[in-house]
Amino acid sequence: MSQALVIIPTYNEIENIAPILQRLLAMEQYDVLVVDDNSPDGTANKVQEIAQNNPGRIYLEKRLKKKGLGTAYIHGFKWALERDYQYIFEMDADFSHNPDDLDYLYEACKNGADMSIGSRYVSGVNVVNWPMSRVLLSWLASKYVRFITGMDIHDTTAGFVCYQRRVLEAINLNKIQFIGYAFQIEMKFKAYLKKFTIIEVPVIFTDRFRGKSKMSGGIISEAIFGVIKLKLKSIFSSP
């Protein structure tokens, strides 16, 4: 068993899952856990096939229905903490996160960071294939979150993250409220309140070439209004 586990949540990623798993299998320092929400396109079946041919490297947790990004990661975190993994990663299945950049996040945590973030905005705006309207929305959202929460993080909504085990052990995962992209903000905010060392590592984010985005108006609304709720709650309760 490796010390490092990459968690990939999936829902209808049949076009991406085999290529991303093959890339990760070539990086021997990482095990992979796919948390699939019963994708009707057969994503879980493909993962199971690859896992059977690569025992001890690829794992599958299949849930009965689509429950949201945040709950998929929480499921994966708990799975990792039941085992001996010391470094736990969040990563998308669609190659928007370059697998080669895992090593940079890994090194940051091995060299002192409690949490490292693959950041699109720490060194300018490093986004490829997004329309300008979406780049602007994402960039402004991170600025807004940074202003409301006080976190010194440029890419507050990033979903490419490495946690040292102790961070996930310190956060009460059962009390994480949000299930969409606000989940990413909430996890960073909880780590920030507990004074863990958070480092941003510059990466280039490339929008998916295959499959459909899961972004929706409800997810954006949850993030906008959820941030205010998080900040107010932090004032009146301990982290």
Side-chain angles (χ1 to χ4, degrees):
M1 180 180 288
S2 168
Q3 282 196 314
L5 179 72
V6 179
I7 301 172
I8 300 178
T10 55
Y11 184 76
N12 286 349
E13 291 289 357
I14 192 63
E15 297 156 299
N16 294 302
I17 196 61
I20 196 71
L21 291 180
Q22 293 302 330
R23 282 286 298 277
L24 292 171
L25 281 168
M27 305 171 75
E28 295 183 358
Q29 61 270 46
Y30 305 107
D31 291 347
V32 184
L33 171 67
V34 176
V35 181
D36 185 74
D37 277 0
N38 202 20
S39 299
D41 69 352
T43 296
N45 293 335
K46 175 56 70 173
V47 174
Q48 189 62 54
E49 176 188 322
I50 296 171
Q52 288 173 350
N53 292 325
N54 298 275
R57 291 290 314 282
I58 306 294
Y59 301 92
L60 171 67
E61 287 285 289
K62 185 175 178 180
R63 305 197 299 173
L64 294 179
K65 62 181 180 179
K66 189 176 181 182
K67 298 180 181 179
L69 178 76
T71 63
Y73 275 126
I74 295 296
H75 186 104
F77 293 159
K78 291 179 177 180
W79 189 94
L81 292 176
E82 289 171 356
R83 292 154 179 86
D84 196 33
Y85 293 104
Q86 300 302 309
Y87 303 90
I88 298 100
F89 295 78
E90 297 180 14
M91 185 179 179
D92 289 346
D94 60 9
F95 285 95
S96 56
H97 304 143
N98 185 342
D100 293 340
D101 289 335
L102 285 167
D103 288 345
Y104 299 116
L105 300 185
Y106 198 8
E107 286 301 317
C109 280
K110 287 196 290 187
N111 290 326
D114 296 307
M115 179 180 184
S116 59
I117 299 167
S119 177
R120 296 163 290 185
Y121 306 128
V122 72
S123 61
V125 177
N126 296 317
V127 178
V128 177
N129 288 344
W130 267 6
M132 184 55 66
S133 59
R134 189 169 177 185
V135 173
L136 188 60
L137 176 63
S138 174
W139 182 80
L140 287 173
S142 281
K143 290 288 187 183
Y144 163 77
V145 173
R146 190 178 183 191
F147 173 74
I148 295 294
T149 62
M151 291 190 291
D152 187 19
I153 297 173
H154 292 84
D155 195 350
T156 54
T157 61
F160 194 21
V161 181
C162 176
Y163 300 90
Q164 290 234 36
R165 180 186 185 92
R166 58 177 170 264
V167 178
L168 298 180
E169 289 176 331
I171 294 172
N172 188 338
L173 298 175
N174 293 323
K175 289 190 175 181
I176 297 298
Q177 303 173 54
F178 299 112
I179 63 172
Y181 283 86
F183 162 82
Q184 303 292 4
I185 301 167
E186 185 173 5
M187 288 297 295
K188 295 177 183 68
F189 192 50
K190 297 284 188 183
Y192 163 78
L193 290 176
K194 290 183 177 294
K195 302 188 184 305
F196 284 112
T197 300
I198 303 172
I199 291 178
E200 290 185 88
V201 176
V203 300
I204 296 175
F205 178 95
T206 303
D207 195 21
R208 65 166 62 233
F209 289 102
R210 297 180 293 268
K212 295 182 179 180
S213 171
K214 312 303 190 295
M215 182 67 74
S216 69
I219 288 172
I220 295 171
S221 176
E222 179 195 59
I224 291 172
F225 296 105
V227 172
I228 298 173
K229 184 177 179 181
L230 283 175
K231 181 61 177 179
L232 290 175
K233 188 173 181 180
S234 74
I235 294 172
F236 298 106
S237 62
S238 58

